[in-house]
Amino acid sequence: SRRLNRLIYAGVALAACAFVGLGASSAEQATPKVLRAEKFELVDEKGKTRATLGMDKEGPSLHLQDENGKDRVVLQVTNEGPGLSLADANSKASLTMFVTKNLPVFALCDTNGLTRVALLNAPQGPGLYLRDENDKPRAAFFVSKNVGPVLNLIDESGKKVWGNPKE
């Protein structure tokens, strides 16, 4: 019976030591309040990078990649301002939004990455601009503080073929 009591006490003491040891171990593994790095990568179950949060010479950026490793969403802040780009399966920008100084721009791009439609809100007034497949301006509609609404149609050579108001 004495031997049994000693075994019980030894077991309780061993369990207490193990419990205290586990407590110290969990305290050492506590979640840090701040993580600092120049780059973080998020990987999928196959170990393939699917997202990157990083810093480079232009500023911070977040890149989200598809299953083929192509950038599909890019959010970044540069010295010129913040921007968001949504890309097609070939990583060509399809839609971009950015702000440079005080000029917000929303742009739709073709499969070659050329801006074909741009909507902007300039200090002199908001505007909608259309460009052709050769990246030449073809139409512009804007509302000017000084003139009011303006619509210009432009031919392939860059000559205004119709405009309101006429110059």
Side-chain angles (χ1 to χ4, degrees), residues 17-109:
C17 289
F19 181 75
V20 170
L22 285 176
S25 175
S26 336
E28 291 171 9
Q29 295 178 3
T31 304
K33 301 284 184 206
V34 176
L35 293 175
R36 293 176 54 96
E38 290 184 19
K39 184 176 179 181
F40 293 96
E41 290 185 349
L42 181 65
V43 298
D44 63 17
E45 65 280 353
K46 297 175 185 171
K48 192 171 208 174
T49 301
R50 296 295 300 274
T52 306
L53 176 62
M55 276 298 292
D56 61 24
K57 62 184 178 199
E58 293 190 25
S61 64
L62 172 65
H63 294 251
L64 303 177
Q65 293 93 16
D66 64 15
E67 61 277 355
N68 298 315
K70 303 276 187 174
D71 279 350
R72 298 300 298 272
V73 178
V74 177
L75 175 63
Q76 66 185 66
V77 178
T78 68
N79 290 336
E80 295 178 17
L84 172 68
S85 178
L86 305 179
D88 64 16
N90 296 315
S91 290
K92 295 282 185 180
S94 295
L95 180 146
T96 58
M97 294 181 284
F98 56 92
V99 178
T100 58
K101 299 190 181 185
N102 293 324
L103 181 64
V105 177
F106 180 89
L108 298 173
C109 305

Side-chain angles (χ1 to χ4, degrees), residues 120-129 140-152 164-165 167:
L120 53 94
N121 191 18
Q124 63 272 21
L128 173 67
Y129 299 87
F141 174 67
F142 55 95
V143 179
S144 168
K145 285 182 181 179
N146 301 330
V147 181
V150 176
L151 174 62
N152 291 324
N164 175 27
E167 295 176 348

